[in-house]
Amino acid sequence: MYPLDARSLRAGRGGRGGWSGIGPNVVLLGLTSLLTDISSEMVSAVLPIYLVITLGLTPLQFGFIDGLAQCVTAFARLASGWVADRWQRKRAVAACGYGVSTACRLGLLAAGSSTLWLTAVMAVDRLGKGIRTSPRDALISMSCDAGKLGLAFGIHRALDTTGALLGPLIAFALLFVFPGAYDLLFVVSFCFGVLGLAVLMCFVREPAIDAPGEVRSGARAAPDASPWSALAANRPFLALTAAGTVLGMATVADAFVYLLLQRKTAVPVSGVPLMVVGTSLVYLLLAVPAGRLGDRLGRRRVFLFGHGFLLLACANLLFGGTSLAAGALSLGLLGAFYACTDGVLAAAASAVLPTGLRTTGLAVLATATSVARLVASVAFGALWNWFGTGWALGVFLLGLTIAIGVAAPLCIRIEVRS
Amino acid sequence: MTPADKDARGRRRALAFGAVLLATLGLAAGYAWHVAKRDAAASRSTAPALGGSARVVPMDRARPQLVYRSTALGDGYGKVAFRPLDDAASASVLTPLSCERVHFAAGHGVCLASRRGLPTTYAAELFNERFEVIHSIALAGPPSRARMSPDGRYAAFTVFVSGHAYSNPGFTTRTSIVDAATGRPVAQDLEAFELLHDGRQVSASDRNFWGVSFSPDGQRFVATVGTGGQVMLVEGDIASRRMRVIHGDVECPSWSPDGSRIAFKRRSASGATGRVLWRLHVLELASGKETALLTETRNVDDQVEWLNDREIVYSMPDDAQPPTAATQLWALAVDGRSAPRAYLRFAYSPAVANRAGAR
């Protein structure tokens, strides 16, 4: 490792007002994510994997494989968090995750048209995502001033989303010039993945953890204590995890929002990708302002009230008009919801996690919220199937209102204290 | 660490990154060059001849013709082509129409086209015997099946309408029937037709229809209905807008030219891998007798076409290595004993036009 002290990494280069206190690592990690997202989105945009899978596997088999992949991903995330903290090798663990996903692009090339292999490659790709996310977020949080956490995550998520928007564009341009050349698409996607990995390996530096005396939050981080018991004793962290889980269980997945919107406004199904683009654009534009707002007003508050945007989006879906403008309003609200919650939650958690525990803590939080969202998706799907969309939306509207009420004391009181 | 050491380290890293950048650029550019060369070679060796000008050599209406989608890699990929059915030696004529799926009968054709872009859009294009598009109908999702009635009066097509993948990974489809001459819908969605099962009306909301095939007289049709986890064969009547279930476990039916049989595919799980395998079968309508065409051991995911009253034709992925987007047509006698024979390379979505005896 490079004997650099954490402070020099956190210090920004210039005195450009609001951007000082953001280390070069933040932008570099954003660049890594941008390149990796180009790599993954250009594949998922054109591969009709959905059809391949639904046609080749029975729903039961698909559900089983999907569930298995989710479990493996959750386990991989916790394990990677623990390894990254235990040996203080966040960058190496993140690189491992990026490498696994990048190798999957070549796996697609080798899989040909075999459904079984395609499914396996997709599962391994997700595994890579599970491995890399928490160490990367920990690196971001340790490469900026404590007061700029929201801004740092905002910058990273904005770059990340830019990659997700560019990926499909590049894919379609490629297939326009070389029709049917899916192998070329996989090769180019692999190249973008390798570049992302190269940015990480060549330029991102492993920040040193704070000395024990420097630990900011209320956690008692005895160096030899198990990370799990240390996390269990970290009350601000537990409160945030509880809030994230409760809110996650009342969150309507974006796929449902797009589908409901498509039905309501009678836009052709082929318009759904445009909805995704619109939402991403709003997310992209609001990620930095929302992060700044979190730094100023309290990240937990912004996270909590960000769910208000989702509440409004659902209410608009249920009670609003069927015009395109009403639909666009829902998408804008959804984008604002992501901007106020995704990076902001990671920033809020980083603020209460000692650096030696940060990756593990972020992994626990991410696992808890993703399991909660999975439960919510299954529940929403079931309600939709049995009672129709109106009931499903109504129940979730009520559920989200209650969840915000339950999470409010967890988010607001602790903010005041910390 | 001295500042000089730091500088040297920084330089080494920038150099390493530069090397990776060059290597990836080289790999991408080299592979693109390889693909361009491969496509050029493929189109030289395999593509049907294009008449030079955009005008298509008119189809000889007196002879039966095979109309299909060319899958020879290169410029002609995805274009509609045709050639005389009885003359394997004659060259195909490539038309300017680009389709994912095509069918043609009695001077009228239907082409399910996709226009790549953001977003990719899909349309059903109705065309005449000069392969000129006369009506274009926007589609709600990726094309799956296309059929003309033998008299050229009706066109039917099925598209995928993506389902909500979280709770229910099963696919949803929409099947429409339109008047080929006017482009007006007979049924925007077959769900609008009444469906009877054992004399009782079925109104479950999860009805999915796919794979229409018309009777020889063009007044009736068969199709697959999926509901409650079951797939069944329905027979429908256009005039009365009514359908009834006539058989179980049938997908993508195809009505024989003599009207007596239905060829179809049926799901069977295959051994240890648990992957679904579609096997071909033929149903005799009068007796209900089924014949399994087990000499075709591969997974056939197609709505077959009858070459004549004895043989069916369907497409399979080309066995080239590495796998490409090319496909190949195979013919199979429906006696249950004959082996499939390779019929035509670089072809997909076959349709037999100007059948002897038709019209």
Side-chain angles (χ1 to χ4, degrees):
Chain A
M1 283 303 98
Y2 318 106
L4 289 157
D5 68 332
R7 225 168 293 280
S8 78
L9 276 173
R10 284 192 198 128
R13 285 254 175 79
R16 278 224 297 135
W19 295 81
S20 67
I22 300 292
N25 260 3
V26 172
V27 176
L28 289 168
L29 285 166
L31 216 55
T32 298
S33 292
L34 186 150
L35 290 163
T36 307
D37 265 29
I38 289 179
S39 167
S40 62
E41 292 301 317
M42 64 186 287
V43 169
S44 55
V46 295
L47 249 199
I49 278 178
Y50 171 70
L51 294 183
V52 172
I53 284 175
T54 48
L55 294 184
L57 295 170
T58 63
L60 193 66
Q61 289 168 326
F62 180 81
F64 177 73
I65 289 176
D66 195 51
L68 196 72
Q70 301 260 13
C71 289
V72 171
T73 303
F75 178 76
R77 191 186 287 136
L78 293 174
S80 85
W82 181 75
V83 169
D85 278 346
R86 174 73 180 75
W87 284 281
Q88 286 307 314
R89 300 288 294 266
K90 298 182 186 58
R91 195 185 65 145
V93 173
C96 187
Y98 282 109
V100 165
S101 293
T102 299
C104 283
R105 311 286 170 253
L106 293 185
L108 282 176
L109 204 58
S113 54
S114 153
T115 312
L116 205 67
W117 278 107
L118 282 176
T119 316
V121 170
M122 277 167 49
V124 175
D125 180 34
R126 280 235 291 263
L127 187 75
K129 197 172 166 65
I131 292 174
R132 73 188 181 232
T133 311
S134 306
R136 181 204 62 206
D137 280 357
L139 283 174
I140 295 168
S141 72
M142 292 165 70
S143 306
C144 65
D145 285 349
K148 295 285 170 70
L149 278 167
L151 175 60
F153 278 99
I155 292 168
H156 174 267
R157 296 301 194 262
L159 286 168
D160 187 280
T161 310
T162 305
L165 283 173
L166 287 178
L169 286 177
I170 293 173
F172 286 118
L174 210 60
L175 284 182
F176 183 78
V177 181
F178 300 97
Y182 286 90
D183 52 343
L184 175 64
L185 190 92
F186 298 150
V187 168
V188 172
S189 161
F190 172 74
C191 289
F192 275 108
V194 168
L195 279 179
L197 193 57
V199 169
L200 179 74
M201 294 308 289
C202 294
F203 301 122
V204 172
R205 307 197 189 175
E206 179 91 31
I209 58 165
D210 295 324
E214 235 188 297
V215 171
R216 285 186 292 271
S217 68
R220 287 155 286 172
D224 294 322
S226 123
W228 314 112
S229 57
L231 283 177
N234 186 335
R235 294 197 52 191
F237 172 73
L238 289 185
L240 188 62
T241 307
T245 308
V246 168
L247 289 166
M249 283 198 291
T251 296
V252 183
D254 54 352
F256 287 120
V257 174
Y258 299 137
L259 204 65
L260 288 168
L261 206 58
Q262 182 261 323
R263 291 198 167 191
K264 186 159 180 149
T265 57
V267 168
V269 172
S270 48
V272 170
L274 275 185
M275 297 185 188
V276 180
V277 168
T279 307
S280 298
L281 271 176
V282 175
Y283 179 16
L284 173 72
L285 291 174
L286 293 184
V288 170
R292 271 179 194 267
L293 201 67
D295 289 338
R296 217 160 288 162
L297 300 181
R299 296 169 199 115
R300 288 166 180 245
R301 277 185 201 145
V302 170
F303 173 70
L304 178 71
F305 293 124
H307 285 79
F309 288 117
L310 182 63
L311 199 68
L312 289 176
C314 290
N316 188 37
L317 271 176
L318 193 56
F319 305 116
T322 56
S323 68
L324 282 180
L329 177 66
S330 287
L331 292 180
L333 290 166
L334 188 65
F337 160 66
Y338 285 125
C340 292
T341 52
D342 183 31
V344 174
L345 179 62
S350 300
V352 296
L353 285 165
T355 48
L357 274 179
R358 196 162 287 173
T359 324
T360 316
L362 286 171
V364 168
L365 178 64
T367 302
T369 49
S370 65
V371 168
R373 285 184 179 198
L374 189 68
V375 169
S377 285
V378 171
F380 194 93
L383 284 171
W384 181 332
N385 253 7
W386 293 328
F387 305 110
T389 55
W391 273 98
L393 268 175
V395 168
F396 266 71
L397 212 53
L398 188 67
L400 188 56
T401 312
I402 295 172
I404 292 176
V406 170
L410 293 169
C411 290
I412 292 171
R413 255 190 243 150
I414 286 169
E415 189 97 68
V416 173
R417 233 185 284 149
S418 66
Chain B
M1 185 188 266
T2 65
D5 282 350
K6 252 185 185 168
D7 279 356
R9 205 186 271 278
R11 259 201 306 279
R12 272 209 303 281
R13 287 181 191 173
L15 269 175
F17 183 76
V20 173
L21 186 65
L22 281 179
T24 50
L25 275 177
L27 175 60
Y31 204 88
W33 187 68
H34 158 73
V35 166
K37 232 176 58 172
R38 180 181 73 193
D39 285 0
S43 67
R44 264 199 309 280
S45 66
T46 61
L50 179 58
S53 71
R55 278 192 66 84
V56 175
V57 181
M59 187 188 262
D60 181 358
R61 289 285 298 274
R63 290 170 82 180
Q65 306 270 349
L66 184 78
V67 180
Y68 63 94
R69 172 181 189 253
S70 167
T71 58
L73 303 173
D75 290 342
Y77 184 85
K79 296 253 161 68
V80 173
F82 64 87
R83 63 163 219 191
L85 190 66
D86 48 19
D87 183 7
S90 80
S92 289
V93 176
L94 202 61
T95 76
L97 270 185
S98 259
C99 312
E100 302 293 317
R101 195 91 203 177
V102 64
H103 204 262
F104 188 87
H108 291 274
V110 57
C111 158
L112 304 187
S114 71
R115 303 191 188 97
R116 276 216 183 87
L118 260 185
T120 299
T121 57
Y122 307 97
E125 294 173 334
L126 301 168
F127 59 91
N128 61 21
E129 59 191 328
R130 289 184 299 280
F131 295 89
E132 296 158 347
V133 174
I134 44 175
H135 293 289
S136 184
I137 302 159
L139 295 175
S144 168
R145 306 287 179 227
R147 229 45 169 192
M148 291 298 307
S149 61
D151 56 7
R153 182 157 173 209
Y154 299 112
F157 38 85
T158 302
V159 299
F160 284 106
V161 180
S162 330
H164 32 110
Y166 284 90
S167 62
N168 173 18
F171 55 89
T172 56
T173 55
R174 181 178 301 164
T175 295
S176 316
I177 298 179
V178 301
D179 185 310
T182 63
R184 284 206 199 93
V186 174
Q188 214 134 43
D189 190 332
L190 267 192
E191 283 179 23
F193 277 27
E194 188 181 54
L195 174 65
L196 295 172
H197 188 191
D198 294 335
R200 275 205 307 256
Q201 196 166 334
V202 180
S203 53
S205 64
D206 71 335
R207 273 173 301 159
N208 272 314
F209 294 93
W210 65 94
V212 164
S213 176
F214 290 93
S215 62
D217 66 5
Q219 291 308 302
R220 288 169 302 147
F221 62 89
V222 284
T224 301
V225 63
T227 178
Q230 276 187 299
V231 290
M232 296 173 290
L233 180 69
V234 298
E235 184 192 329
D237 182 75
I238 292 179
S240 69
R241 300 175 71 84
R242 205 170 269 168
M243 297 180 288
R244 62 192 176 91
V245 174
I246 58 168
H247 205 78
D249 203 5
V250 168
E251 282 184 76
C252 297
S254 176
W255 211 321
S256 68
D258 64 9
S260 69
R261 285 156 297 165
I262 305 287
F264 63 93
K265 62 173 192 167
R266 172 175 287 170
R267 263 172 195 260
S268 70
S270 81
T273 62
R275 279 174 63 196
V276 168
L277 192 65
W278 272 296
R279 309 295 296 266
L280 295 174
H281 292 71
V282 170
L283 168 70
E284 206 168 302
L285 282 172
S287 65
K289 184 177 145 251
E290 286 182 9
T291 309
L293 308 181
L294 299 180
T295 50
E296 173 55 271
T297 57
R298 297 169 296 181
N299 177 31
V300 181
D301 181 9
D302 199 3
Q303 182 175 24
V304 306
E305 172 81 348
W306 291 77
L307 272 179
N308 46 53
D309 282 321
R310 294 173 313 282
E311 261 189 317
I312 54 175
V313 63
Y314 47 91
S315 58
M316 299 289 298
D318 194 75
D319 17 305
Q321 282 303 327
T324 65
T327 55
Q328 185 171 8
L329 295 184
W330 290 76
L332 178 62
V334 295
D335 53 17
R337 293 184 309 274
S338 313
R341 65 186 170 96
Y343 186 73
L344 181 62
R345 273 196 96 182
F346 305 110
Y348 182 74
S349 190
V352 176
N354 316 331
R355 251 182 228 288
R359 301 200 78 183

